[in-house]
Amino acid sequence: MSPEEKVTWSNGTANTATSTTTTTFHSQQKKQKQEESSSSISGRCNSSFYYLSSKAVTNLPNFKYSGADLSLLYQYVLSPLAQWMVDHVTPNTIAPNCITMFGLSLMLVSYNIYSHYNPNLEYYPDNPKQVQEQQDHDESYALPRWMFLVNGCAMLLYQTLDNMDGKQARKTGSSSPLGLLFDHGCDAVNSMFGSANWIIAMGLQPILWQDQLCIWILLIFPMMLFYIATWEEYFTGSLILPIINGPSEGLFGGAILSMTTALVGVSYWQTT
């Protein structure tokens, strides 16, 4: 081997060694950054994430939702409607969480209307003779029927928007564990709004012992089912809603109940 070849070979070996060393160095740096990031997340978990362990926070970005709604109403009516709205009406610039929050806002407005006209959950009969007799003493006695129509429409819109947000997230590629948490959190809050709206629409009164059982059922039963479904998802990794469930038939039935009250009045539920 000539001196020139030796020099060339030596330089090539040196370059290769330098390249290998550089690659190893960058790999070690990347690994170190990942370890520091993991340690940082664990540290934040101990100080900020009260309900999440360090392992949960580390694995959170890798979470992927798995679930299905076996409801026939959802599969053949609600889901196709929501998909059509996402494909033809909703622009890509609207964030899925905005859709979720807008739906909850509609229910909050409806709840506040109820709270304004009936803050004490008292029964206001709408029989014309009874109303006229009572209005002689209290002009604000009768409940306006239009507020039940508003509530029924708010429930249907909330249900549609709740089905749209996940489809919008998949359409825009913005699905995330935070979005799922926000969606389910709004559903949990709306469970209380929906129960209160049902109680008012049926004219149930907490002061009457015969109504108290129905009120407790309407308050506790939806929250209990929601908790059990989420508990099951925690252990199985999938949220499977049965053929009849709250988000589909429950909300739709509540909307029909409110619209029925708007049509025939609260007295209908007190005489059936």
Side-chain angles (χ1 to χ4, degrees), residues 69-90:
D69 191 335
L70 304 181
S71 166
L72 298 180
L73 177 64
Y74 174 82
Q75 294 180 11
Y76 294 104
V77 179
L78 302 179
S79 181
L81 173 62
Q83 189 65 59
W84 186 90
M85 293 290 291
V86 168
D87 293 339
H88 299 90
V89 178
T90 311

Side-chain angles (χ1 to χ4, degrees), residues 6-110:
K6 288 182 179 180
V7 172
T8 303
W9 181 83
S10 299
N11 291 338
T13 304
N15 291 336
T16 303
T18 303
S19 177
T20 303
T21 303
T22 303
T23 303
T24 304
F25 176 73
H26 286 309
S27 299
Q28 291 176 346
Q29 271 194 328
K30 184 177 180 181
K31 183 177 179 180
Q32 184 178 2
K33 287 181 179 180
Q34 289 177 345
E35 291 176 353
E36 290 176 354
S37 176
S38 178
S39 300
S40 176
I41 291 176
S42 300
R44 290 199 306 270
C45 172
N46 294 331
S47 60
S48 303
F49 296 93
Y50 182 82
Y51 294 102
L52 298 179
S53 65
S54 57
K55 182 180 178 181
V57 175
T58 303
N59 294 330
L60 187 61
N62 301 322
F63 174 82
K64 293 188 180 299
Y65 174 73
S66 174
D69 191 335
L70 304 181
S71 166
L72 298 180
L73 177 64
Y74 174 82
Q75 294 180 11
Y76 294 104
V77 179
L78 302 179
S79 181
L81 173 62
Q83 189 65 59
W84 186 90
M85 293 290 291
V86 168
D87 293 339
H88 299 90
V89 178
T90 311
N92 293 339
T93 53
I94 295 182
N97 287 348
C98 290
I99 297 176
T100 308
M101 191 62 202
F102 182 65
L104 182 63
S105 299
L106 294 175
M107 291 300 299
L108 180 60
V109 169
S110 174

Side-chain angles (χ1 to χ4, degrees), residues 121 194-206 214-215 218-219:
L121 293 180
S195 296
N197 292 343
W198 282 30
I199 291 170
I200 297 174
M202 297 178 68
L204 301 177
Q205 299 182 79
C214 291
I215 291 174
L218 289 174
L219 286 174

Side-chain angles (χ1 to χ4, degrees), residues 83-219:
Q83 189 65 59
W84 186 90
M85 293 290 291
V86 168
D87 293 339
H88 299 90
V89 178
T90 311
N92 293 339
T93 53
I94 295 182
N97 287 348
C98 290
I99 297 176
T100 308
M101 191 62 202
F102 182 65
L104 182 63
S105 299
L106 294 175
M107 291 300 299
L108 180 60
V109 169
S110 174
Y111 178 80
N112 284 331
I113 293 174
Y114 274 175
S115 177
H116 173 73
Y117 283 99
N118 191 6
N120 299 319
L121 293 180
E122 297 175 347
Y123 170 48
Y124 294 84
D126 43 32
N127 179 280
K129 184 177 179 180
Q130 290 178 300
V131 170
Q132 187 60 47
E133 292 175 353
Q134 190 65 24
Q135 281 182 336
D136 293 338
H137 306 282
D138 183 2
E139 294 182 355
S140 62
Y141 183 73
L143 291 176
R145 292 192 183 185
W146 59 264
M147 70 179 191
F148 299 109
L149 179 61
V150 169
N151 178 66
C153 294
M155 276 193 177
L156 292 179
L157 288 172
Y158 172 84
Q159 184 180 54
T160 303
L161 293 169
D162 187 44
N163 291 327
M164 287 173 56
D165 54 10
K167 301 180 187 299
Q168 177 74 355
R170 289 185 287 273
K171 173 186 172 183
T172 58
S174 56
S175 300
S176 68
L178 178 61
L180 176 65
L181 181 63
F182 185 75
D183 182 19
H184 285 188
C186 289
D187 291 339
V189 173
N190 184 62
S191 174
M192 183 63 68
F193 290 159
S195 296
N197 292 343
W198 282 30
I199 291 170
I200 297 174
M202 297 178 68
L204 301 177
Q205 299 182 79
I207 61 174
L208 300 179
W209 66 267
Q210 60 267 33
D211 288 348
Q212 291 177 1
L213 177 60
C214 291
I215 291 174
W216 277 109
I217 290 176
L218 289 174
L219 286 174

